[in-house]
Structure formats: structure tokens, C-alpha cells
Amino acid sequence: MSYIVPSENILYFWSIRDGQVNMGSPDDMIRNFQMLEEHGLLHDGLELYLKLHNLENSSQFPAWFYEKVSALNYKTLHIGGDTPDFLFTLVDVEQKLSLLSEVLERLDVRALIIHAHHLKDHRLYIKELFARLLPETEIMVENNGLDDNWGSSVEGLMEIFNDCPEFKLCLDICHIKETGKFSLTEIASMPEL
């Protein structure tokens, strides 16, 4: 059985309204959800995208949003930030992750996606934060594309999984294609990944 699960932030690339200023904000997430829903593209699920610094309180999302997202069969939340080390430099990161835990619970989202380059440095600190503040959440590490050489390399991914074996791999095949560093067959033959 196959699933079609769009990433809501893909609409940024299709219809840039306010540039990256609003990308990853709760308002942008809601707007993108409504557009995907309007066009009948949410049959199987959705990958949401949130820049953690934009999360101020759980009421940034209306009740209908929580209800509709939680009703989807498959859903994930991809977090990001404005810098690769946002989880280390964000002053109120523990407060933000606690709030994120509440939002994930209300959305009934069990998997959190984060690009590999955010785990290049301070990954043991980040691992501890996730374990303590998001204990019920599965952490999925997505390979980078051309935006980060380390995060798109097998060596970089192996460093992460050696230190954080409980994390899972979210393999972005578009990033594999764009970098051309290794093939899907090659990465699938690596039992460590």
C-alpha cells in the first residue's frame, strides 16, 4: 500500500507570498493546510513544518486545526530554525520544547522530523533535551540536500546514529537525487542506516 503525504511547506516553493518570513509559522501552517485540504490533497496524511522560535502558545492553532490534523491517518511535524544550531542557541528552548510536546499531543503527532545538519554539533545535549521533554515522540533525522554537505553525507548520518541509535532515518529521496553523492540502492544496503 502506498501513501501520498504532502509536506505543507512545499507550498512556499509554489506560491511565495511573504517570502521566508512566514514560512514555518503557525499562520503559514494553517494557510497551507487549508489550501491542501481545499484541493483534496490530504487523503493519506501530512507533514507539517514549524520553526520552533515561532511557537508562542498552543492557542496559535484553532480547535478545528487540531481536530482535522489529529483525524489524519499519517502525520509528522518537521521542526527547523533560522540557524543550524537553533536548538542550542534558542534561549527558551526548554520552554519551546515543552510547548511543542503539548501541541504534538493535541495534534496526535508521534513523529518529529529534523534535518541532519541541526545535529552536527551538540547532538548529545539535543538528544537529552528530546528524551526529557519529548519522551513519547519518535525522532526522525532527515538527510540534507545541497544546503549542507555534512548533513547530506553518509559519514554525517553515521555520526548521528552512532551517538543517537534510538533516532530513526527519514530518507528524503529528492535530497539524494539533488546531491548525487550516493544512490538509493547504496544507502538501502547500509544496515546501520
Side-chain angles (χ1 to χ4, degrees):
M1 175 188 269
S2 63
Y3 289 95
I4 298 174
V5 181
S7 173
E8 58 90 5
N9 72 333
I10 197 67
L11 294 178
Y12 161 75
F13 301 101
W14 172 69
S15 170
I16 301 174
R17 216 177 49 176
D18 300 315
Q20 279 196 316
V21 174
N22 289 326
M23 183 178 173
S25 69
D27 287 343
D28 194 49
M29 292 169 66
I30 293 165
R31 179 187 71 90
N32 292 338
F33 180 92
Q34 289 174 316
M35 191 176 298
L36 291 167
E37 182 183 47
E38 179 184 320
H39 291 284
L41 298 172
L42 297 178
H43 298 291
D44 299 320
L46 177 67
E47 178 187 320
L48 297 162
Y49 177 71
L50 175 69
K51 287 187 176 180
L52 194 57
H53 69 267
N54 287 324
L55 189 58
E56 299 297 330
N57 58 66
S58 60
S59 64
Q60 287 176 279
F61 301 104
W64 67 260
F65 183 79
Y66 285 116
E67 183 180 322
K68 287 185 176 192
V69 171
S70 65
L72 295 172
N73 289 328
Y74 182 86
K75 58 252 177 204
T76 60
L77 181 81
H78 188 139
I79 61 167
D82 289 336
T83 62
D85 61 349
F86 78 96
L87 286 167
F88 188 72
T89 59
L90 191 60
V91 174
D92 52 353
V93 69
E94 292 196 21
Q95 178 187 353
K96 296 285 189 185
L97 288 174
S98 293
L99 181 55
L100 179 63
S101 178
E102 177 188 336
V103 169
L104 292 172
E105 180 70 28
R106 291 184 66 187
L107 292 171
D108 192 30
V109 169
R110 304 286 179 233
L112 187 72
I113 299 172
I114 185 165
H115 269 113
H117 74 290
H118 296 302
L119 298 167
K120 183 175 184 178
D121 299 311
H122 314 294
R123 78 179 139 264
L124 295 179
Y125 164 77
I126 294 166
K127 173 183 168 177
E128 185 275 327
L129 277 179
F130 286 161
R132 186 165 39 90
L133 300 169
L134 301 169
E136 302 301 317
T137 305
E138 186 173 48
I139 306 301
M140 312 282 289
V141 179
E142 182 179 327
N143 54 305
N144 282 82
L146 291 174
D147 61 324
D148 187 88
N149 286 328
W150 183 86
S152 64
S153 71
V154 170
E155 296 78 18
L157 293 171
M158 290 303 297
E159 281 184 43
I160 293 170
F161 293 115
N162 284 336
D163 287 343
C164 308
E166 63 279 9
F167 291 177
K168 305 289 186 219
L169 177 63
C170 173
L171 188 63
D172 188 320
I173 59 175
C174 293
H175 289 331
I176 289 176
K177 176 71 173 164
E178 77 176 291
T179 62
K181 291 182 177 184
F182 47 85
S183 70
L184 184 57
T185 302
E186 289 170 317
I187 199 162
S189 70
M190 299 175 188
E192 303 87 356
L193 297 178

